[in-house]
């Protein structure tokens, strides 16, 4: 009989987008700890932005302390800002934000966004867009802590109503108020939207090189 605290998962590695700040209310820190513990319970390794402060620091320390592998991917220019003291797990320094997102996308089998600011939302929206385009077929989850993302979800719904987002594409984003419920929904996810271009026509290994190729003089 499998113990309650030792549950397996279809995912081996999940990427979590989150803030380098903890927010003004404890509920956000609690949610990061809850998600970290849920990943550990399901034996899921973590890919994240590489910082040791804010929600990034909380979830990485929780997953690492629970015995799972932690991979942090961070642009070199952000290391003095987002790393304070010792980091945990493996830290991979990259040249820029584009390379960071491409590397995180390659390494992970699913994506989850905790509450965060512009950077977190941009990363979330890019993974949604990549799914719509057919670049990946991985689940994209939104941990809607205490209704933090209600307005964003309402914006997506309005996009459907106004004809800018297809109803099937609205189903790309999976949301739930708790880590357990969110991961359960993500485990059951099957893409139902039409891809803009065939998945096979995209080459993920080239995404990280794209900005640098464009900047070559």
């Amino acid at each position: 009989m499998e113990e309650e605290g030792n549950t397996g998962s279809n995912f081996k590695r999940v990427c979590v987008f989150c803030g380098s700040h903890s927010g003004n209310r404890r509920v956000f820190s609690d949610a990061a700890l809850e998600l970290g513990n849920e990943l550990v319970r399901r034996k899921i390794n973590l890919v994240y932005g590489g910082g040791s402060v804010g929600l990034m620091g909380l979830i990485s320390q929780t997953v690492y302390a629970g015995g799972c592998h932690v991979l942090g991917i961070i642009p070199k220019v952000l290391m003095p800002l987002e790393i304070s003291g010792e980091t945990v797990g493996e830290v991979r320094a990259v040249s820029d934000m584009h390379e960071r997102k491409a590397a995180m996308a390659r390494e992970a089998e699913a994506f989850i966004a905790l509450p965060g600011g512009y950077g977190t939302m941009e990363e979330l929206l890019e993974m949604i867009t990549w799914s719509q385009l057919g670049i990946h077929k991985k689940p994209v989850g939104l941990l809607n802590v205490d209704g933090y993302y209600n307005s964003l979800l309402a914006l997506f719904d309005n996009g459907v109503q106004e004809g800018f987002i297809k109803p099937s594409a609205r189903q790309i984003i999976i949301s739930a108020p708790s880590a357990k419920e969110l991961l359960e929904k993500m485990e059951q996810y099957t893409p139902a939207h039409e891809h803009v271009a065939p998945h096979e026509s995209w080459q993920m290994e080239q995404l990280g090189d794209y900005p640098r190729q464009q900047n070559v003089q």
Side-chain angles (χ1 to χ4, degrees):
M1 182 176 177
E2 190 171 356
E3 295 179 4
E4 183 180 350
N6 205 23
T7 303
S9 172
N10 294 335
F11 306 129
K12 294 180 180 178
R13 186 176 281 178
V14 168
C15 175
V16 175
F17 303 125
C18 55
S20 57
H21 298 280
S22 298
N24 292 332
R25 294 187 291 139
R26 182 174 175 176
V27 66
F28 302 124
S29 297
D30 289 344
L33 296 173
E34 177 197 14
L35 178 57
N37 286 322
E38 190 65 26
L39 294 177
V40 170
R41 192 174 75 86
R42 295 170 179 265
K43 300 180 181 177
I44 300 174
N45 298 320
L46 172 68
V47 180
Y48 81 114
S52 62
V53 295
L55 299 187
M56 282 197 289
L58 286 175
I59 192 167
S60 61
Q61 291 158 15
T62 301
V63 173
Y64 185 76
C68 293
H69 185 264
V70 172
L71 171 62
I73 301 174
I74 185 169
K76 294 174 184 177
V77 70
L78 291 183
M79 293 179 75
L81 302 173
E82 295 187 354
I83 295 180
S84 176
E86 292 187 11
T87 58
V88 297
E90 177 186 354
V91 177
R92 183 186 303 171
V94 294
S95 61
D96 53 42
M97 294 294 289
H98 300 282
E99 187 176 356
R100 178 198 223 178
K101 287 181 290 186
M104 293 168 87
R106 282 195 301 267
E107 293 287 351
E109 297 172 354
F111 309 96
I112 293 176
L114 277 164
Y118 291 142
T120 300
M121 295 181 198
E122 187 269 341
E123 289 166 332
L124 168 71
L125 287 167
E126 184 144 20
M127 291 307 110
I128 295 171
T129 302
W130 286 8
S131 178
Q132 179 177 255
L133 290 172
I135 295 174
H136 72 77
K137 300 179 181 180
K138 304 171 183 180
V140 182
L142 188 64
L143 190 52
N144 190 21
V145 180
D146 201 28
Y148 179 79
Y149 283 117
N150 283 351
S151 297
L152 183 61
L153 292 169
L155 179 63
F156 295 159
D157 291 334
N158 190 56
V160 174
Q161 186 176 359
E162 297 291 352
F164 290 101
I165 299 173
K166 291 183 178 180
S168 60
R170 172 64 178 83
Q171 305 308 312
I172 292 171
I173 186 69
I174 305 161
S175 64
S178 71
K180 184 175 184 292
E181 182 182 348
L182 181 61
L183 282 163
E184 287 174 351
K185 285 185 175 182
M186 292 174 68
E187 294 271 5
Q188 299 168 7
Y189 172 77
T190 301
H193 61 284
E194 292 183 8
H195 294 144
V196 173
H199 175 69
E200 292 73 21
S201 67
W202 299 98
Q203 297 184 39
M204 283 293 292
E205 66 272 16
Q206 294 183 1
L207 290 176
D209 295 328
Y210 175 78
R212 287 179 292 168
Q213 291 171 350
Q214 294 295 303
N215 290 333
V216 173
Q217 299 296 324

